[in-house]
Amino acid sequence: MCGVLGILGKMPLSMARELLLLLAHRGQDAAGLLWISGNEYIEAKAMGSPAFIELPDESPKIILGSTRYPTIGKRVGTEKDLDIFVGPFQAEQIALTHNGNITNMAVYAEKDYFTDAQFITDKLAKYLSENNNILPDAIRKLSSELDGAFSIVGIHEGKLFAFRDSRGFKPLVFGRSKDLTVIASESTVHSMIGIDVERDVYPGELLIFSQDGKLESFSISQNALHSHCFFEYVYFAHPATTIENQLVYDVRFRLGRALASAFKKMNIETPDYVVPVPDTSRPAAQALAEALDVPMREIILKNRYLGRTFIVRTQEERNAMAKSKYIYLTDKIRNKTILVVDDSIVRGTTAKMIVKDLKGLGASKVYFAATCPPQDHPCYYGIDISTGKELIASNSRKEEIRKYIGADALIYQDINDLVNAIGLKDLCLACLDGDYPTEHARYIQEQLQDEEESDSRDYERVIG
Ligand code: AMP
């Protein structure tokens, strides 16, 4: 996952940086802004938060922004890495930024690329030159070749454009006021500047926005079936974001209610408190507490100045970070039965740590609930889980997982309840059921199943 942003209409660069901060939760590795000054593309990038991007005091008429999440490839560690790994990218007259993951880059790439975004940029520049600089034709050609997830915002001939793969994996919305057009991964960007979201960019649609306010829409690829990433609702997106007309907060609340029904069926002792693992699971914990008629207590607090542990590469680093990530209200824990709610159990590191900590602080029982069903298949569309081996649910049954994390009970969301809570039928659930909606991802899956020795980054080898 990454965050993408496009702005058409005069805006101070410092304000664009503020807007990019609203997408920082989608990628904390690095961030970049690109704009046109005179006839030139200018870029400014920084490691970590968009807040660190240094900018001149200018108000360009067109701006792109990205926050980076390292799906494949390494983390940004040096200034030099910023050029190689962090968008927006440019080639000849085109500039763009990308959220998603292309699974078949090696099939079409004419050289080795560090990122799929740079590959897409170069390909689009090439197809523009082969198609009389006609953007819809070039993007149609490009889209017909790409397998995977892409939500893209770019600049061509002083116009802002946006397009999305025909499955609509990753979110992309736009809104307009008299003077501004804003395209972004999440609608919170529009709320911040008081612009109504007009709608999502449709799957398979290309939109071109001109400086005179004209908007053109083109169909670039079609698919009767869409595959919106369910994990956006469960984990990635900000709760105030609306994706495909569903408010993420409401979805998370409904996920909590569904967990309450599952909990009631277990006939176990009612907890003293429901406790969210901050921050994603708060709405679900609230709903769960209301449905069970017990208080919700925020006794696990986050050290908000630490990054997300997931992005750390080794298990040892992850354990150390998971430990320092939370602070507990220790005097609320002794002799209590606590129902902890998190959005997901991926490798099991966080759940194990929290249960151990709470028991160490005197909790009499700790139940653990996840708003996400067991994830037992890797994601090839942009989530940083590249092999099944990393996933605790792919190696262990529920009872083994319960024992591993040390909980007295383990409650997972049911897949049907998840789908109902989101309220959309056309979802990508591949990391839950192994049903990959695109051809090349299925090919990768077959190759990896054949490989006994696959380690944690092996799918990059078979990606072509
Ligand atoms: P784990 O500790 O490996 O079981 O991962 C679960 C924790 O990581 C939960 O607290 C989630 O909020 C968080 N998480 C789940 N998926 C992701 C992801 N793709 N990127 C970053 N964090 C995640």
Side-chain angles (χ1 to χ4, degrees):
M1 86 190 168
C2 293
V4 297
L5 176 67
I7 300 160
L8 181 67
K10 236 172 173 330
M11 181 183 280
L13 284 167
S14 56
M15 186 163 167
R17 181 176 54 199
E18 289 292 304
L19 296 185
L20 200 54
L21 273 168
L22 289 165
L23 302 174
H25 59 281
R26 300 185 66 83
Q28 302 175 353
D29 192 37
L33 285 166
L34 176 148
W35 62 95
I36 295 182
S37 183
N39 284 327
E40 264 185 88
Y41 284 124
I42 315 284
E43 299 172 352
K45 296 176 181 176
M47 289 184 260
S49 164
F52 300 127
I53 305 176
E54 288 180 25
L55 295 167
D57 185 12
E58 272 183 46
S59 298
K61 281 199 209 129
I62 190 158
I63 305 173
L64 297 181
S66 345
T67 56
R68 179 181 193 254
Y69 170 88
T71 309
I72 57 172
K74 61 176 238 172
R75 292 202 60 194
V76 168
T78 65
E79 292 289 327
K80 202 168 143 265
D81 290 343
L82 289 173
D83 291 337
I84 305 172
F85 292 112
V86 186
F89 291 102
Q90 80 177 85
E92 293 162 34
Q93 292 312 305
I94 200 94
L96 61 81
T97 168
H98 161 240
N99 173 207
N101 193 43
I102 305 302
T103 64
N104 65 343
M105 181 164 76
V107 177
Y108 291 101
E110 280 144 17
K111 60 174 196 184
D112 281 346
Y113 279 98
F114 291 105
T115 71
D116 47 7
Q118 179 74 68
F119 157 72
I120 293 170
T121 314
D122 287 357
K123 265 281 177 227
L124 190 52
K126 179 170 182 274
Y127 290 158
L128 275 168
S129 69
E130 289 171 9
N131 285 275
N132 299 320
N133 207 20
I134 298 171
L135 190 64
D137 290 353
I139 291 182
R140 271 192 200 104
K141 166 98 175 116
L142 180 70
S143 296
S144 70
E145 293 178 350
L146 300 182
D147 181 289
F150 46 97
S151 281
I152 290 174
V153 186
I155 302 174
H156 175 244
E157 293 190 321
K159 296 176 186 171
L160 191 66
F161 66 88
F163 65 100
R164 227 172 147 198
D165 60 77
S166 63
R167 292 275 173 174
F169 286 99
K170 294 285 156 194
L172 196 61
V173 289
F174 74 94
R176 291 181 289 173
S177 66
K178 200 166 123 292
D179 308 313
L180 274 182
T181 296
V182 177
I183 309 169
S185 299
E186 296 196 23
S187 58
T188 43
V189 171
H190 302 86
S191 313
M192 166 104 164
I193 43 173
I195 295 184
D196 288 337
V197 166
E198 207 162 313
R199 63 170 171 84
D200 299 77
V201 177
Y202 298 133
E205 183 184 33
L206 162 68
L207 293 172
I208 305 179
F209 300 86
S210 309
Q211 306 220 357
D212 59 8
K214 197 170 121 201
L215 168 60
E216 295 170 282
S217 162
F218 302 85
S219 171
I220 48 160
S221 53
Q222 279 177 353
N223 219 312
L225 299 172
H226 298 156
S227 310
H228 307 300
C229 169
F230 84 89
F231 209 50
E232 288 282 343
Y233 295 94
V234 169
Y235 173 79
F236 285 147
H238 190 279
T241 293
T242 298
I243 307 172
E244 304 294 330
N245 299 318
Q246 304 292 330
L247 178 65
V248 172
Y249 178 91
D250 287 346
V251 171
R252 292 186 186 160
F253 201 85
R254 294 195 288 266
L255 288 170
R257 269 202 206 128
L259 278 179
S261 308
F263 183 87
K264 283 179 187 163
K265 286 186 198 137
M266 292 173 82
N267 285 320
I268 50 177
E269 183 193 331
T270 307
D272 293 299
Y273 306 133
V274 174
V275 175
V277 176
D279 292 307
T280 326
S281 63
R282 273 209 199 108
Q286 189 100 47
L288 186 47
E290 280 176 20
L292 297 182
D293 201 18
V294 298
M296 175 178 117
R297 290 286 180 269
E298 303 213 33
I299 61 173
I300 305 176
L301 301 168
K302 199 169 184 170
N303 179 356
R304 67 173 62 213
Y305 299 101
L306 283 175
R308 284 181 165 179
T309 52
F310 222 85
I311 297 166
V312 175
R313 279 274 178 254
T314 70
Q315 190 62 32
E316 271 163 21
E317 283 176 326
R318 225 171 260 128
N319 287 343
M321 257 193 104
K323 205 177 176 66
S324 55
K325 195 167 139 187
Y326 300 112
I327 299 163
Y328 298 90
L329 289 184
T330 47
D331 63 342
K332 309 257 182 276
I333 295 170
R334 183 157 297 283
N335 300 328
K336 300 289 184 205
T337 295
I338 294 172
L339 170 53
V340 179
V341 190
D342 200 356
D343 55 80
S344 55
I345 301 170
V346 182
R347 301 173 180 94
T349 318
T350 307
K352 189 178 171 68
M353 190 74 64
I354 286 174
V355 174
K356 186 165 164 250
D357 288 347
L358 290 175
K359 291 213 163 172
L361 292 166
S364 49
K365 279 193 186 135
V366 180
Y367 306 141
F368 205 94
T371 63
C372 185
Q375 286 166 293
D376 46 12
H377 297 271
C379 175
Y380 305 130
Y381 301 119
I383 306 178
D384 184 19
I385 302 165
S386 54
T387 82
K389 278 189 175 176
E390 295 176 332
L391 301 167
I392 190 167
S394 78
N395 305 315
S396 319
R397 291 164 191 276
K398 188 175 157 197
E399 179 54 16
E400 287 167 337
I401 299 171
R402 183 193 69 73
K403 283 198 186 132
Y404 173 78
I405 66 171
D408 297 283
L410 173 62
I411 306 106
Y412 269 121
Q413 191 74 254
D414 172 80
I415 293 197
N416 291 327
D417 290 343
L418 168 85
V419 173
N420 290 336
I422 295 175
L424 300 173
K425 291 276 173 266
D426 44 359
L427 294 167
C428 177
L429 301 168
C431 63
L432 307 178
D433 60 13
D435 188 3
Y436 294 92
T438 64
E439 203 181 318
H440 201 81
R442 289 193 287 273
Y443 166 75
I444 295 168
Q445 184 189 27
E446 279 164 25
Q447 298 295 303
L448 284 183
Q449 271 165 2
D450 293 346
E451 283 194 24
E452 282 179 11
E453 296 290 330
S454 67
D455 75 18
S456 73
R457 302 263 142 213
D458 266 5
Y459 93 92
E460 284 172 74
R461 285 197 282 120
V462 297
I463 218 161

